[in-house]
Amino acid sequence: MNLETGYTVRRARTNDVPGIEALVEPLVQQRILLGKDRVVFYEAVQEFRVAVDASGALIGCGALHVIWEDLGEVRTLAVDAKWLGRGVGYAIMQRLEADAQGLGLSRLFCLTFEVGFFARNGFSDMGTETVDPAVYAELVRSPDEGVAEFLDLARVKPNTLGNTRMVKRLN
């Protein structure tokens, strides 16, 4: 526990899934995040990091999903409204970036309405940036929606309207 901040960031556990759902649900209702079935959270629990307060209550979450040998996606970043502005999102991002570097990734992608937050964390609008045609040919075969969002495929357009595709290069 960091006494200065009053919270710590750790790997998610299966018993955190209901808390992750509870953190995400208000953002789903506001149409900031897409809703997911509970089974999807369990399937991806190893990708999640959670922030917990001194009592052990979940106050934030975020996930890192590997897309390609050098590319990962930051997914499902959420912070309890009572903890906004206290560095929780930043701390989770720092942990996800460290995890990404540990995996050998050199770029992170996100699809977000929270452009200001991600820009403050070193992300920039990808614009029309794309990948090598050979890599594209591999990625386009993935059933993963995050990959489709990264590639800006037409089939995900209705779910991504108003979002910004952002990327960060890691050191």
Side-chain angles (χ1 to χ4, degrees), residues 2 29 46 55 81 121 125 147 159:
N2 184 327
Q29 295 303 316
Q46 72 279 0
S55 72
N121 282 279
D125 189 323
V147 173
N159 292 333

Side-chain angles (χ1 to χ4, degrees), residues 37 63 85 96 104 110 133 161 169:
D37 293 323
L96 295 175
C110 70
L161 292 176
R169 299 206 183 287

Side-chain angles (χ1 to χ4, degrees), residues 95-166:
R95 178 65 184 268
L96 295 175
E97 286 183 25
D99 292 346
Q101 289 175 320
L103 289 168
L105 303 178
S106 59
R107 294 181 297 158
L108 288 177
F109 161 76
C110 70
L111 180 72
T112 187
F113 287 109
E114 302 296 331
V115 174
F117 171 82
F118 283 97
R120 287 190 303 277
N121 282 279
F123 285 74
S124 59
D125 189 323
M126 340 185 0
T128 59
E129 180 180 333
T130 188
V131 294
D132 177 271
V135 173
Y136 183 94
E138 292 286 333
L139 289 175
V140 79
R141 294 190 290 198
S142 173
D144 187 272
E145 291 300 298
V147 173
E149 292 161 354
F150 173 75
L151 296 175
D152 204 24
L153 299 179
R155 71 179 167 85
V156 295
K157 292 279 191 209
N159 292 333
T160 62
L161 292 176
N163 282 292
T164 301
R165 294 178 331 126
M166 299 184 82

Side-chain angles (χ1 to χ4, degrees), residues 11-14 17 20 36-48 63-65 75 144:
R11 291 182 69 88
R13 303 174 186 132
T14 56
V17 168
I20 291 169
K36 296 178 180 169
D37 293 323
R38 183 172 284 191
V39 67
V40 174
F41 288 116
Y42 281 116
E43 289 172 342
V45 73
Q46 72 279 0
E47 298 180 351
F48 274 86
L64 172 66
H65 182 78
R75 293 183 170 180
D144 187 272

